[in-house]
Amino acid sequence: LQNLFKQMQNETLSVSKLKETLEARRSSVWYSTFEPNYKALEAAGELFELLHSLNFKCSSFENGIENYSNSWYKLDMYYRLYQFHVKNIIEDDFSELTKKVENFYINRYVIPVNESWQKQIDVVEKWKGSLQYPLQNDFYSSFVEAEFSSVRNLKHLVVIVSDALRYEVGWELYNKATMLDKVKASISPMISMLPSYTQLGMASLLPGKSLEIDSKGNVLRDNKSTSGKDNRKNILETVDGSAIKADEFLGFNSKERKEFLSKYRVVYIYQNKIDSIGHKKDSELQAFEACNDTVEQLLTMVRKIITANRYNIIVTADHGFLYQKKELDGADFNTETPSEPNTIYKDRRFIIAPSISKSSSINVFTSSQLGLQGNYEAAFPKSITRFRLQGSCSLFVHGGTSLQEVVLPVVKINYNTKREGASDVEYKLDASTSSIISTSVLALSFSQTEAISSAIRQVQIRVELVTENGDVISDSHDIILDSTSEKFSERRKKVSLTLSSDADKHNNQEVFVVVSKNVPNTSQYVIEYRVPYTLKRTFTIDF
């Protein structure tokens, strides 16, 4: 592990070679103990490799959205995964590698990409979407009503709105959703309204046409208040819809879920894990843990919705966010913070007031330019800088114009009881030269019969040695069969089972190698098969 660490620190180890090494170690006794260390190294490797291969320039507004949603988001994802795993490392000191990851992420990616993107923001005359990249204000017509039109005989739809579900976190959800049985999933980008903050984002996702921020900072949809679940529910009732919070929905039993969902054409479920944790001074350092928990809870909700016989789901967000672990310095703050009379709303990444003085360090848009009703202006610090404010969070921020804040995920999840979908990869336990176990270690190998592809998905299996009565007499190993290689020799995984002292009690008896397959996105395993062996050791362990 130390050797891998040094090579990663010096960038002398390719990601493909690292993955090959980690795969070989996955079957080792100590892998699970050091799994966070390995996963942190892998995330760092992916980050470094992308930094060397991608060009962070955008030639137009649409090109910036395209580049971010196609590839740049991966840098945010691998940075998040590195920081998530490095908090759980065992023994090793990753401090120097963490400094390098932090420095590379901010100075070689976040700043350059948003400085290039800023050139496109500087020439924006009106904030708008396109046919390919819809504006958030058109979400209901572009996605909800469009789904009813495109899916034959669709009568019910569930929309999950996850507060601060950044595009890269939405992509992780999409990727895991594709592993669910009989599920087809897709992801597409949507452009957030400005300012990219909760009140406006939540209002934009509702049915309706006009949006306005009133003199008290309240956001109105067609002149109706959108503050809180109850007001949003009132608006949804106009389209035979309703709204509910995620915790309340998850608290239902199966009968209650079915009864609730059966009453409405459209149901909005509001989840708030990332923003509630990231946007508090005392918990913003836990933002990435909240991202992980959010994805897991979203998958749980998806499964519960499907078991309630609702097969069409859209997951989206009110806004994204900027986030870094490293403490900010003076250069991270805007050179000046507008201080206007009668300010309507002020945050780290935007300010709304009746009129705002122009400056070279900020972008100022009128409400009309932002597609909002009323007569006021909004100012945004350029690139990723923050306004100076007392007491508010500075590491986790949103509301501004950066790609991380304004490119939102729209994840469609469709379940079909008749859909075959991607099938689990087939595999086999390679034939052994003997069915006799005569030593304290049993070496096994498994082979994928085919490569992973869009039609063939990976599987995770668990291997252990048990007695006729089901007592486990060895250590247990998990193997992920996920090779995309066309070469059969490269699709083989090896594992060594070490027998426990209890195995001696079963000498000269028949025992079994039990292979179980993981049920995707759960902790459950289903036994696939049992292979008989005879335990016949001349020398047993003496305790």
Side-chain angles (χ1 to χ4, degrees):
L1 185 57
Q2 283 296 320
N3 185 42
L4 290 177
F5 177 83
K6 290 179 181 178
Q7 291 183 72
M8 185 57 62
Q9 177 75 11
N10 297 327
E11 296 183 67
T12 57
L13 181 65
S14 69
V15 173
S16 58
K17 182 62 178 178
L18 173 64
K19 287 183 175 180
E20 181 182 322
T21 303
L22 297 186
E23 192 54 53
R25 295 187 181 186
R26 195 184 297 275
S27 59
S28 65
V29 176
W30 60 84
Y31 180 85
S32 59
T33 301
F34 293 97
E35 187 173 14
N37 305 49
Y38 292 133
K39 287 189 172 181
L41 284 177
E42 186 174 356
E46 295 279 13
L47 181 80
F48 294 157
E49 191 163 283
L50 282 171
L51 282 170
H52 292 307
S53 64
L54 294 177
N55 174 23
F56 302 118
K57 300 289 184 182
C58 48
S59 57
S60 68
F61 187 94
E62 290 75 16
N63 180 245
I65 304 296
E66 178 185 19
N67 287 338
Y68 185 79
S69 60
N70 284 343
S71 59
W72 294 346
Y73 74 89
K74 294 178 183 178
L75 277 297
D76 296 309
M77 182 173 68
Y78 289 126
Y79 174 74
R80 171 174 59 84
L81 292 175
Y82 175 83
Q83 297 288 8
F84 175 77
H85 292 302
V86 83
K87 289 188 70 173
N88 301 309
I89 61 170
I90 304 297
E91 296 182 7
D92 297 291
D93 181 7
F94 272 49
S95 59
E96 289 303 312
L97 181 59
T98 298
K99 289 179 183 178
K100 186 169 186 174
V101 167
E102 192 78 50
N103 177 54
F104 276 25
Y105 173 71
I106 298 298
N107 296 311
R108 297 194 183 185
Y109 165 60
V110 177
I111 292 177
V113 78
N114 278 295
E115 286 184 346
S116 179
W117 172 243
Q118 181 61 49
K119 295 177 182 178
Q120 307 308 321
I121 300 297
D122 287 341
V123 297
V124 167
E125 294 183 357
K126 186 174 181 62
W127 192 255
K128 60 183 180 179
S130 64
L131 186 63
Q132 186 176 6
Y133 307 118
L135 192 63
Q136 190 181 34
N137 190 33
D138 299 319
F139 169 79
Y140 194 84
S141 60
S142 296
F143 293 100
V144 177
E145 288 299 345
E147 192 75 355
F148 279 108
S149 299
S150 62
V151 178
R152 186 178 180 182
N153 298 323
L154 180 61
K155 296 180 180 180
H156 303 276
L157 182 68
V158 178
V159 176
I160 304 176
V161 182
S162 182
D163 202 327
L165 186 76
R166 190 161 67 171
Y167 187 85
E168 53 94 4
V169 187
W171 191 92
E172 184 178 349
L173 168 69
Y174 149 75
N175 190 44
K176 290 186 175 181
T178 61
M179 301 299 293
L180 297 176
D181 191 36
K182 301 183 186 302
V183 161
K184 179 182 178 181
S186 65
I187 183 171
S188 59
M190 177 173 66
I191 302 173
S192 164
M193 291 292 286
L194 289 183
S196 54
Y197 73 120
T198 299
Q199 290 91 323
L200 184 58
M202 291 295 185
S204 303
L205 298 171
L206 295 168
K209 295 182 178 180
S210 69
L211 283 169
E212 180 180 358
I213 303 173
D214 68 19
S215 60
K216 295 182 180 179
N218 300 312
V219 181
L220 308 179
R221 184 62 146 169
D222 293 343
N223 298 315
K224 298 175 184 177
S225 175
T226 61
S227 179
K229 183 202 72 176
D230 290 340
N231 282 319
R232 295 169 199 160
K233 180 179 177 181
N234 291 337
I235 293 174
L236 286 166
E237 286 176 351
T238 64
V239 291
D240 191 19
S242 188
I244 190 172
K245 291 184 177 180
D247 290 343
E248 184 181 357
F249 179 79
L250 290 170
F252 286 161
N253 59 38
S254 58
K255 181 181 179 181
E256 290 170 333
R257 278 194 298 274
K258 288 181 179 179
E259 288 179 348
F260 174 74
L261 293 176
S262 67
K263 295 177 183 178
Y264 308 102
R265 181 173 180 262
V266 180
V267 170
Y268 276 45
I269 302 176
Y270 291 100
Q271 183 207 44
N272 184 17
K273 277 187 173 290
I274 300 174
D275 200 67
S276 66
I277 289 176
H279 226 166
K280 295 176 183 175
K281 191 74 174 177
D282 59 349
S283 62
E284 65 176 336
L285 289 175
Q286 301 167 28
F288 286 160
E289 286 81 351
C291 291
N292 183 72
D293 293 343
T294 289
V295 172
E296 295 308 312
Q297 189 181 75
L298 287 170
L299 289 169
T300 297
M301 279 196 284
V302 166
R303 287 193 289 266
K304 289 183 180 296
I305 291 167
I306 290 173
T307 57
N309 301 327
R310 291 293 171 264
Y311 303 148
N312 296 275
I313 305 163
I314 298 177
V315 184
T316 192
D318 53 344
H319 57 76
F321 62 87
L322 281 171
Y323 183 72
Q324 65 183 68
K325 285 279 188 175
K326 181 175 175 283
E327 286 297 327
L328 305 177
D329 57 31
D332 296 309
F333 292 94
N334 201 264
T335 54
E336 55 185 308
T337 299
S339 179
E340 308 293 346
N342 304 316
T343 295
I344 297 171
Y345 202 109
K346 180 182 290 188
D347 210 332
R348 291 282 189 185
R349 292 284 291 159
F350 70 98
I351 289 174
I352 302 173
S355 179
I356 298 176
S357 301
K358 308 302 184 287
S359 166
S360 60
S361 66
I362 61 175
N363 288 111
V364 178
F365 294 98
T366 65
S367 53
S368 177
Q369 287 179 302
L370 297 178
L372 302 173
Q373 300 294 309
N375 187 21
Y376 43 88
E377 295 183 338
F380 304 90
K382 291 193 173 184
S383 189
I384 63 167
T385 60
R386 281 81 157 159
F387 288 138
R388 291 186 182 275
L389 294 177
Q390 289 294 326
S392 62
C393 296
S394 57
L395 302 181
F396 179 99
V397 293
H398 59 85
T401 60
S402 74
L403 287 164
Q404 288 85 350
E405 294 166 285
V406 303
V407 180
L408 308 180
V410 178
V411 181
K412 292 184 183 180
I413 298 171
N414 304 103
Y415 176 86
N416 190 329
T417 56
K418 298 179 181 179
R419 179 181 289 124
E420 293 184 6
S423 57
D424 289 348
V425 68
E426 294 185 3
Y427 63 94
K428 63 185 181 68
L429 174 61
D430 296 337
S432 174
T433 56
S434 173
S435 61
I436 303 296
I437 302 175
S438 57
T439 66
S440 61
V441 177
L442 176 61
L444 304 168
S445 67
F446 291 83
S447 297
Q448 289 178 214
T449 60
E450 52 202 332
I452 299 300
S453 67
S454 59
I456 305 295
R457 63 186 176 192
Q458 69 180 43
V459 298
Q460 179 170 321
I461 60 175
R462 178 166 293 172
V463 188
E464 52 196 2
L465 193 67
V466 304
T467 66
E468 178 66 40
N469 295 328
D471 297 328
V472 180
I473 54 172
S474 75
D475 53 358
S476 177
H477 290 278
D478 288 354
I479 304 173
I480 297 178
L481 300 166
D482 60 354
S483 176
T484 57
S485 175
E486 294 299 327
K487 296 180 180 180
F488 182 79
S489 60
E490 295 178 355
R491 300 200 301 267
R492 182 174 287 120
K493 303 288 178 73
K494 296 180 180 181
V495 62
S496 294
L497 298 180
T498 302
L499 277 62
S500 67
S501 58
D502 289 338
D504 293 341
K505 303 174 185 176
H506 304 276
N507 207 27
N508 297 312
Q509 295 179 15
E510 188 175 50
V511 294
F512 301 86
V513 168
V514 173
V515 181
S516 304
K517 185 166 68 174
N518 175 250
V519 179
N521 299 305
T522 75
S523 59
Q524 300 177 353
Y525 283 79
V526 177
I527 293 178
E528 291 270 273
Y529 52 83
R530 302 181 354 147
V531 181
Y533 282 78
T534 300
L535 184 59
K536 187 174 291 188
R537 294 194 296 166
T538 305
F539 301 99
T540 57
I541 301 172
D542 184 16
F543 284 94

